[in-house]
DNA sequence: TTCCAGGGATATA
DNA sequence: TATATCCATGGA
């Protein structure tokens, strides 16, 4: 999509494929805060941006222009993807609702930790826990806190994670951090999607749904389809009355192929936010 | 196979 | 207003 860079600002004039509220509130990301109507603080890794959206312009203000061009994947053309997916009638309706959604390219380590915390959890509580981790373990930069490093998290005991509100996920995270210490996360990027998915599922706190989220949001793999309760409901109403999530996932990936992950976001947002 | 483990949100009574 | 249910993973 088109954008202009001016000093510390990225300016977007064509809002046909960018809506900050839809992007942040479609369930893919947890480190952000609404400052006021149409104005958001967005934190990723150790970077910060202020995003302001009005009727016909978006301004992304940040010291890290290149980082956020990649983060918002601004060089990707979503209009052609939407056109392709709109051939499906169910998708067409969802895309009209969530036309401004983009899949963020999030920091891999932050994505893994965040989505383990997200398992069987609700969004306000997830955000609260992640904020606690940032503010208690993250580096203070200007007026915000970075996401904590692996080393910082390795120094925490299980009880600290309980205090962060992780509940029974505390021991899962404690174990996971020690497994990650033995891994080369960047080397995993070379694996094909199915090998990578199996590897992720073998780690503590990561099941099929969380693995798919990590693949989609952390590895930018679009040939996955995270199936949660909302997608299950949607599938039963719009496609087939099946309850087995493994079967639902298989059918959806076969249907949408390399655009599965993107299709999932439109369907999830429309179902979750507007129940259609 | 079935049960259980935070706790905040949502649905139901 | 009170109470029940939901959420996705792993271990007993």
């Amino acid at each position: 999509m088109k954008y202009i860079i001016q000093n510390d600002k990225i300016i977007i004039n064509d809002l046909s494929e960018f809506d900050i509220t839809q992007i942040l509130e479609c369930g893919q990301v947890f480190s952000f805060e609404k400052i006021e109507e149409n104005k958001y603080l967005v934190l990723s890794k150790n970077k910060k941006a202020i995003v302001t959206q009005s009727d016909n312009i978006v301004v992304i203000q940040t010291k890290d222009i290149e980082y956020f061009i990649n983060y918002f994947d601004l060089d990707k053309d979503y209009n052609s993807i939407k056109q392709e997916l709109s051939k499906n009638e169910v998708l067409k309706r969802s895309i009209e609702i969530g036309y401004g959604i983009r899949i963020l390219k999030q920091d891999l380590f932050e994505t893994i930790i965040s989505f383990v915390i997200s398992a069987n959890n609700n969004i306000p509580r997830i955000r609260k826990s992640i904020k606690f981790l940032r503010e208690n373990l993250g580096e203070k930069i200007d007026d915000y806190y970075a996401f904590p490093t692996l080393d910082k998290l390795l120094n925490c005991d299980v009880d600290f994670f309980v205090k962060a509100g992780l509940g029974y996920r505390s021991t899962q995270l404690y174990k996971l951090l020690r497994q990650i210490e033995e891994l080369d996360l960047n080397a995993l990027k070379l694996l094909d999607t199915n090998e990578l998915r199996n590897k992720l599922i073998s780690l503590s706190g990561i099941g099929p749904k969380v693995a798919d989220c990590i693949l989609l949001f952390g590895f930018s793999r679009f040939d996955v389809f995270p199936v949660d309760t909302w997608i299950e409901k949607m599938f039963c109403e719009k496609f087939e009355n099946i309850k087995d999530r493994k079967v639902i996932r298989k059918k959806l990936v076969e249907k949408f192929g390399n655009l599965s992950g993107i299709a999932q976001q439109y369907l999830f947002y429309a179902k979750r936010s507007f129940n259609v």
Side-chain angles (χ1 to χ4, degrees):
Chain A
M1 65 179 302
K2 281 185 186 170
Y3 57 91
I4 303 160
I5 297 167
Q6 280 181 7
N7 301 318
D8 63 344
K9 295 183 176 71
I10 306 165
I11 296 164
I12 302 166
N13 286 304
D14 172 11
L15 304 194
S16 66
E17 46 179 332
F18 192 108
D19 183 280
I20 192 61
T21 304
Q22 293 172 15
I23 290 168
L24 296 176
E25 293 184 356
C26 66
Q28 62 176 322
V29 63
F30 305 106
S31 277
F32 67 89
E33 276 173 43
K34 192 172 185 172
I35 300 168
E36 56 194 65
E37 204 58 34
N38 296 319
K39 187 170 182 181
Y40 290 88
L41 163 69
V42 179
L43 299 179
S44 175
K45 199 175 178 181
N46 56 351
K47 308 285 197 287
K48 168 188 165 179
I50 300 284
V51 183
T52 312
Q53 175 154 2
S54 60
D55 286 346
N56 50 17
I57 187 170
V58 167
V59 178
I60 301 168
Q61 185 171 6
T62 177
K63 288 178 181 169
D64 298 285
I65 296 282
E66 288 306 318
Y67 183 88
F68 281 99
I69 287 173
N70 177 67
Y71 179 82
F72 286 108
D73 208 3
L74 294 184
D75 292 316
K76 192 179 200 74
D77 172 17
Y78 270 80
N79 279 334
S80 62
I81 292 168
K82 288 188 284 183
Q83 201 173 354
E84 175 65 25
L85 286 173
S86 290
K87 288 174 185 169
N88 180 290
E89 274 306 314
V90 180
L91 254 295
K92 191 178 177 206
R93 181 83 199 283
S94 298
I95 289 170
E96 283 166 6
I97 293 167
Y99 64 91
I101 289 173
R102 311 179 70 79
I103 312 272
L104 297 170
K105 294 172 90 169
Q106 302 184 57
D107 176 69
L108 182 53
F109 179 66
E110 181 172 352
T111 304
I112 294 171
I113 305 305
S114 298
F115 277 90
V116 167
I117 294 171
S118 83
N120 189 29
N121 209 339
N122 59 69
I123 290 171
R125 188 173 170 214
I126 299 163
R127 303 214 4 229
K128 200 173 154 192
S129 292
I130 292 174
K131 192 171 183 229
F132 184 94
L133 295 181
R134 276 185 177 272
E135 293 180 356
N136 285 276
L137 299 171
E139 183 192 355
K140 174 108 200 266
I141 304 167
D142 300 335
D143 58 348
Y144 67 98
Y145 292 88
F147 193 83
T149 60
L150 173 59
D151 283 345
K152 278 282 186 185
L153 286 163
L154 279 168
N155 279 328
C156 301
D157 53 22
V158 172
D159 191 53
F160 177 85
F161 296 136
V162 173
K163 286 197 185 75
L166 301 202
Y168 61 82
R169 299 165 202 80
S170 300
T171 48
Q172 296 174 359
L173 179 59
Y174 184 88
K175 287 181 194 169
L176 174 67
L177 289 163
R178 274 139 195 88
Q179 291 171 324
I180 291 177
E181 193 184 13
E182 300 300 317
L183 277 176
D184 178 358
L185 289 183
N186 282 318
L188 295 181
K189 292 175 183 170
L190 299 173
L191 298 175
D192 73 44
T193 300
N194 271 329
E195 286 175 332
L196 184 46
R197 186 165 188 269
N198 289 335
K199 180 68 195 173
L200 290 171
I201 288 173
S202 76
L203 302 176
S204 173
I206 303 180
K209 190 268 183 180
V210 170
D212 280 340
C213 288
I214 293 168
L215 285 162
L216 181 55
F217 307 128
F219 286 96
S220 299
R221 301 291 174 98
F222 295 157
D223 52 342
V224 298
F225 208 113
V227 178
D228 70 342
T229 184
W230 296 99
I231 293 296
E232 184 186 316
K233 282 174 195 146
M234 180 284 302
F235 190 85
C236 289
E237 289 167 18
K238 303 282 168 52
F239 294 91
E240 273 180 84
N241 192 16
I242 299 173
K243 300 288 181 193
D244 186 333
R245 293 191 180 185
K246 195 175 171 184
V247 176
I248 293 174
R249 180 189 190 277
K250 186 167 178 288
K251 285 180 177 271
L252 286 167
V253 170
E254 278 169 8
K255 193 172 201 55
F256 296 109
N258 289 329
L259 296 179
S260 293
I262 302 177
Q264 193 270 3
Q265 287 288 281
Y266 293 123
L267 292 167
F268 177 88
Y269 180 76
K271 181 68 192 167
R272 176 81 216 273
S273 300
F274 299 92
N275 198 27
V276 294

